């Protein structure tokens, strides 16, 4: 006798075989999903976007500017040309073609003025010595002696003024002499401001852009302020460079393909203008090297995932659904909580005082 014969309605039902298979699948998948959520590990990550940059500021893209005001007379380089340190880039001339000649003549005039004042002061000092002798013998008045001293001081002031004028002329002459702008270091001319060739330029105006060829590359990622508190120096980072084929599984780094490894070098103490925090990432020692600079150039876009703690898949889903922050690793040697250290010290002091009182009482009894 079937066990469902006492239930007429239930025994009359004949569910399709497909429904029974679906029921068995649901019954088996529920505990499998629960076990998956509770037992399978998941690596938490702090995602960020950024770009490739040079670690040394001298290795970054530089703007070559004009040293003096004037007009660009000649260009010595073209776009994309390789240059060495000291290679001429442009020649700037003043609006007055005879400015150097005029300044040289002015400098000669100032030198002559300095010589004249120096000779006059030498003669004035002789007058001081002569008048002092006469004044000591009573043959000259004290007023005459003081007037000679005043003349020496006047000539000294004129000499100092002439030397200051010579310094100003030399500075202007040196600035005008630096009319040839040269490359500050080895690199490649990335762009030339051709619009300044037919117009006047001022000191500091952009002439060309120089991009160094070889530099030590790092990645600067911009991390959300909610995650930056958990980022520590030396943490491992997974990187996906722009244009490089890759498959990323943030929770399972071992499954990802085409990713590159790095580690956190430094974290900025303050946020950028957009509210994000900059994190510098350097190559991980001992890991596969980053792509060559021909494939990943300075300024290339990068996506990065800073690896955090390992939790279960279920906890990670619950955290993301509730928009909670990442798990924070407790410090290795946590110090006493605020107020706890004082309480422990007070307790120790009380115990010591009680021990001393007991010892004194025993000594008195003896």
């Amino acid at each position: 006798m079937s066990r469902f014969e006492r239930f007429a309605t239930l025994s009359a039902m004949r569910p399709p075989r497909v429904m029974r298979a679906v029921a068995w699948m649901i019954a088996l998948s529920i505990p499998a999903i629960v076990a998956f959520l509770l037992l399978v590990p998941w690596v938490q990550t702090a995602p960020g976007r950024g770009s490739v940059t040079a670690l040394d500021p001298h290795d970054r893209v530089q703007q070559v500017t004009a040293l003096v005001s004037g007009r660009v007379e000649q260009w010595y380089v073209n776009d994309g040309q390789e240059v060495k340190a000291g290679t001429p880039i442009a020649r700037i001339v003043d609006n007055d073609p005879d400015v150097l000649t005029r300044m040289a003549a002015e400098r000669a005039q100032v030198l002559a003025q300095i010589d004249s004042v120096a000779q006059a002061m030498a003669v004035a000092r002789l007058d001081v010595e002569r008048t002092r002798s006469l004044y000591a013998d009573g043959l000259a008045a004290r007023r005459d002696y003081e007037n000679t001293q005043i003349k020496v001081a006047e000539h000294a002031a004129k000499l100092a003024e002439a030397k200051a004028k010579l310094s100003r002329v030399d500075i202007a002459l040196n600035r005008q002499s630096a009319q040839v702008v040269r490359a500050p270091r080895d690199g490649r001319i990335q762009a030339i401001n051709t619009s300044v060739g037919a117009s006047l330029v001022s000191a500091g105006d952009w002439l060309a852009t120089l991009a160094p060829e070889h530099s030590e590359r790092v990645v600067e990622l911009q991390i959300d302020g909610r995650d930056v508190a958990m980022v520590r120096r030396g943490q491992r980072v997974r990187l996906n460079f722009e244009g490089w084929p890759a498959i990323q599984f943030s929770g399972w780094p071992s499954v990802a393909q085409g990713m590159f490894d790095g580690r956190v070098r430094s974290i900025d103490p303050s946020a950028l203008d957009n509210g994000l925090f900059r994190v510098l990432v350097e190559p991980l020692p001992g890991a596969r090297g980053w792509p060559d600079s021909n494939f990943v150039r300075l300024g290339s876009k990068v996506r990065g995932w800073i690896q955090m703690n390992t939790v279960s898949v279920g906890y990670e889903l619950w955290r993301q659904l509730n928009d909670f922050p990442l798990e924070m690793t407790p410090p290795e040697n946590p110090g006493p909580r605020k107020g706890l250290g004082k309480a422990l010290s007070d307790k120790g002091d009380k115990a010591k005082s009680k021990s001393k009182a007991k010892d004194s009482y025993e000594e008195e009894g003896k």
Side-chain angles (χ1 to χ4, degrees):
M1 183 179 66
S2 176
R3 54 181 176 176
F4 297 112
E5 289 182 356
R6 290 182 296 178
F7 304 96
T9 304
L10 186 59
S11 61
M13 295 177 59
R14 292 292 183 268
R17 184 174 296 181
V18 176
M19 297 301 297
R20 283 182 290 177
V22 171
W24 277 105
M25 293 174 60
I26 295 175
L28 295 177
S29 61
I30 290 177
I33 293 175
V34 172
F36 176 81
L37 294 177
L38 297 179
L39 301 179
V40 176
W42 180 273
V43 179
Q44 292 183 325
T45 57
R49 293 177 178 269
S51 60
V52 180
T53 184
L55 182 61
D56 189 352
H58 295 89
D59 294 337
R60 300 175 185 174
V61 178
Q62 303 178 20
Q63 304 292 338
V64 182
T65 59
L67 304 178
V68 296
S69 301
R71 178 176 54 84
V72 178
E73 181 185 44
Q74 183 180 0
W75 291 101
Y76 297 101
V77 295
N78 299 317
D79 286 345
Q81 179 177 339
E82 293 185 3
V83 294
K84 299 293 183 180
T87 302
I89 294 179
R91 175 180 172 83
I92 302 176
V93 297
D94 195 87
N95 297 328
D96 185 4
D98 299 330
V99 62
L100 295 178
T101 304
R102 297 176 189 275
M103 295 182 69
E106 184 179 0
R107 187 177 188 277
Q109 181 182 359
V110 174
L111 289 175
Q113 183 180 355
I114 290 176
D115 293 339
S116 175
V117 175
Q119 293 178 2
M121 187 171 65
V123 174
R125 286 177 176 174
L126 293 176
D127 290 342
V128 170
E129 296 295 333
R130 186 167 45 250
T131 307
R132 182 174 60 182
S133 300
L134 295 175
Y135 175 70
D137 296 337
L139 300 177
R142 181 181 180 86
R143 182 176 180 181
D144 296 337
Y145 177 58
E146 293 175 350
N147 287 335
T148 55
Q149 292 179 334
I150 292 174
K151 288 183 179 179
V152 172
E154 291 177 352
H155 289 309
K158 291 181 180 179
L159 182 61
E161 182 180 358
K163 289 183 178 181
K165 186 176 181 180
L166 178 63
S167 298
R168 292 193 295 269
V169 172
D170 287 339
I171 292 174
L173 187 60
N174 291 334
R175 288 179 176 177
Q176 290 296 330
S177 299
Q179 293 181 344
V180 178
V181 181
R182 301 180 182 274
R185 58 157 301 146
D186 299 348
R188 185 184 297 272
I189 299 299
Q190 183 169 313
I192 293 179
N193 187 8
T194 56
S195 61
V196 302
S199 59
L200 299 179
V201 296
S202 301
D205 287 351
W206 169 58
L207 296 178
T209 301
L210 177 65
E213 285 289 337
H214 305 287
S215 59
E216 183 180 357
R217 296 172 299 168
V218 294
V219 171
E220 49 181 9
L221 296 178
Q222 296 183 10
I223 305 299
D224 189 81
R226 186 184 61 176
D227 300 334
V228 73
M230 277 69 78
V231 178
R232 297 291 183 269
R233 184 177 180 180
Q235 284 181 305
R236 193 163 181 169
V237 185
R238 302 285 284 176
L239 300 173
N240 178 18
F241 295 99
E242 183 182 34
W244 197 267
I247 300 175
Q248 163 66 0
F249 294 94
S250 61
W252 300 311
S254 59
V255 183
Q257 298 294 328
M259 304 296 293
F260 294 89
D261 295 318
R263 68 178 180 182
V264 176
R265 179 184 178 89
S266 64
I267 306 103
D268 285 357
S270 59
L272 302 175
D273 295 338
N274 55 5
L276 301 178
F277 289 82
R278 191 184 66 154
V279 176
L280 291 182
V281 180
E282 63 183 358
L284 182 66
R288 183 178 61 156
W290 291 357
D292 189 77
S293 58
N294 293 327
F295 302 100
V296 178
R297 302 175 181 269
L298 297 180
S300 300
K301 302 300 181 183
V302 182
R303 295 184 63 189
W305 292 266
I306 303 176
Q307 297 181 6
M308 299 293 184
N309 293 345
T310 301
V311 297
S312 63
V313 175
Y315 177 84
E316 181 65 14
L317 290 176
W318 173 81
R319 182 190 70 83
Q320 294 190 10
L321 290 175
N322 291 274
D323 198 23
F324 286 165
L326 299 172
E327 283 291 295
M328 178 180 290
T329 303
E332 297 180 357
N333 298 318
R337 291 177 297 177
K338 186 177 181 181
L340 182 59
K342 184 178 180 182
L344 293 176
S345 61
D346 293 343
K347 187 176 180 180
D349 295 340
K350 289 181 180 179
K352 290 181 181 179
S353 62
K354 287 182 180 181
S355 177
K356 290 181 180 179
K358 183 178 179 180
D359 294 340
S360 61
Y361 177 76
E362 291 177 354
E363 291 178 359
E364 291 178 359
K366 291 180 181 180

